[in-house]
Amino acid sequence: LAGTEGIEEVARYGDAETVVTGIVGCAGLLPTVAAIKAGKDIALANKETLISGGPVILPLLKKHNSMCIPADSEHSAIFQCLQGVPADGVRKIILTASGGAFRDWDAKDLHKVTLKDALKHPNWDMGAKITIDSATLMNKGLEVIEAHYLFGADYDDIDIVIHPQSIIHSMIETQDTSVLAQLGWPDMRLPIVYSITWPYRLSMPYERLDLVKQGSLTFKEPDRAKYPCMELAYSAGRTGGTMTAALNAANEQAVAMFRNNEIGYLDIPKLIEYTMEGHKNNVIAKPSLEDIVETDAWAREYGATFKTPELII
C-alpha cells in the first residue's frame, strides 16, 4: 500500500489506542477519519482536519466514542487550562501569537517581502508552510476556527493577542474574571507528550521555565492592516459549513503559489478572499465528508486561476 490508501490503512492499523495526526494540511483529514472509525483516540496536531472537516469530525467522534486531544501548543494550553473548569465557567479563550516574521515591520513595507523573509520565524523552528502562515497570521485565524470546534466557543468569545516571547501559549478567562494561562519555553515536545499521556503528567528531561531568566512578558493587539488573513478566517468561521474548507484550501494554494514565486506575499490574502467570494453562493451549511473533499478540490483549482494585477492582460 502507498499514497492516501496506505496512510489511511496505517491510521486504522492494529491495537494502538491513540493516533497522532500530524500531516500538514487537509491531507490529514481522511486518515483522521479512518482512525476515528477504527475507534482510535486522536492526538490532533493537524489543525486543518477540524478547520475543513469540523462539521463531520465532531459527530464522528461522538458516534465512535473517540476523544480528540489537541497536540499543538495553543490548543494544548487551552485544554490544560480547562482541566477542572466547569463547562459553563469559561467566558473567553485567548490565543497568543508570536506575530511571525513581520511583527516588527510596518504594514507599508510588506510589499518588499521575499520568500526568504517570510521563512524567518523569530521563535519557533517549523516547516515552511506553517512558518508562512505565522507570518500572515493565518495560522492564528485557523486556530480560532479549530478552537471553536474543539471547545465549543463562539467566535465572539475567541480573541487573539500578540505575545512576542511565546512563553504563554494561550489563556482562558473564566466567568469570575480570573485568567488561567499555560507557560513554557517554545518547545513542541510538551504538548505532543501531554496529548498522549493525558490525564497523567510524566517527568520529562526538558529545560524548566525560569521566569527570572526570561524577564518580561509583553502583549499587544494584532494590527489588522498587517494581518488581513486573520479577519478572513473569522469571516469564514462565522459563515460555517463548507466555507472553512474553502478558506483552508485557498490558503494552502496561495502559500504554494507564493513559494513557487507565482504570486507576491501581499497576494496571499487577496487569493483567499477571491476564492471565498467565488464560493459564497455555494456554501453547504451541513456538509458530508464528500462535500468537504469536493470543496477542498474546487477551492484549490479556483484559487489557481487568481492573477495578480500585474499579470492581468
Side-chain angles (χ1 to χ4, degrees):
L1 293 174
T4 301
E5 184 181 358
I7 295 171
E8 290 180 31
E9 185 60 34
V10 169
R12 69 170 70 94
Y13 180 78
D15 298 328
E17 296 177 358
T18 302
V19 174
V20 179
T21 62
I23 299 173
V24 175
C26 197
L29 175 59
L30 293 180
T32 303
V33 168
I36 295 170
K37 287 182 176 179
K40 316 289 188 183
D41 290 331
I42 304 300
L44 189 69
N46 167 272
K47 62 174 65 72
E48 292 85 357
T49 290
L50 280 182
I51 292 152
S52 295
V56 169
I57 294 294
L58 294 186
L60 202 61
L61 287 165
K62 186 175 182 179
K63 177 181 178 181
H64 294 277
N65 198 30
S66 295
M67 290 189 62
C68 183
I69 299 176
D72 62 331
S73 61
E74 294 83 0
H75 298 90
S76 175
I78 296 163
F79 181 70
Q80 292 179 61
C81 291
L82 287 171
Q83 302 304 303
V85 177
D88 61 353
V90 178
R91 174 179 289 174
K92 191 173 287 290
I93 286 173
I94 305 165
L95 293 165
T96 56
S98 69
F102 307 123
R103 70 183 179 204
D104 297 322
W105 287 44
D106 289 332
K108 63 181 176 61
D109 293 327
L110 293 179
H111 68 280
K112 304 175 184 177
V113 165
T114 66
L115 176 60
K116 185 178 180 180
D117 294 328
L119 291 174
K120 293 177 182 177
H121 196 284
N123 298 347
W124 296 89
D125 182 12
M126 305 180 292
K129 194 265 181 183
I130 192 170
T131 301
I132 294 170
D133 282 351
S134 179
T136 65
L137 217 69
M138 177 57 89
N139 73 317
K140 214 52 53 176
L142 297 177
E143 287 170 10
V144 166
I145 299 170
E146 184 182 7
H148 166 77
Y149 283 120
L150 274 172
F151 308 115
D154 187 85
Y155 287 102
D156 291 337
D157 297 327
I158 307 173
D159 286 349
I160 297 171
V161 63
I162 302 294
H163 170 49
Q165 296 81 20
S166 296
I167 296 298
I168 295 179
H169 298 301
S170 277
M171 300 170 268
I172 64 169
E173 180 188 359
T174 59
Q175 296 291 356
D176 61 4
T177 74
S178 291
V179 175
L180 308 180
Q182 188 266 327
L183 287 72
W185 298 121
D187 187 336
M188 283 302 302
R189 292 177 297 176
L190 174 58
I192 292 170
V193 167
Y194 189 67
S195 71
I196 299 170
T197 62
W198 176 87
Y200 304 104
R201 295 279 187 176
L202 299 187
S203 177
M204 304 302 292
Y206 306 152
E207 181 184 1
R208 296 166 65 186
L209 179 63
D210 184 334
L211 290 175
V212 174
K213 176 182 176 181
Q214 171 57 38
S216 62
L217 301 176
T218 59
F219 309 90
K220 61 181 179 180
E221 185 178 2
D223 181 344
R224 282 163 171 74
K226 187 189 293 188
Y227 302 117
C229 285
M230 182 178 68
E231 294 300 330
L232 291 173
Y234 271 101
S235 175
R238 289 185 172 108
T239 299
T242 51
M243 185 58 87
T244 54
L247 168 90
N248 179 71
N251 179 61
E252 291 188 21
Q253 182 66 32
V255 170
M257 291 174 70
F258 172 62
R259 292 177 66 188
N260 290 331
N261 202 33
E262 297 173 60
I263 62 172
Y265 176 79
L266 291 178
D267 292 321
I268 293 174
K270 294 175 184 176
L271 186 154
I272 297 166
E273 187 173 16
Y274 164 79
T275 305
M276 290 173 63
E277 184 69 18
H279 186 58
K280 70 178 184 180
N281 293 327
N282 298 299
V283 173
I284 301 171
K286 296 182 178 180
S288 65
L289 181 60
E290 291 73 22
D291 293 329
I292 290 167
V293 171
E294 288 176 7
T295 299
D296 178 86
W298 170 85
R300 292 170 195 274
E301 183 177 346
Y302 189 83
T305 68
F306 173 83
K307 296 289 188 290
T308 62
E310 295 83 359
L311 297 179
I312 294 176
I313 299 174

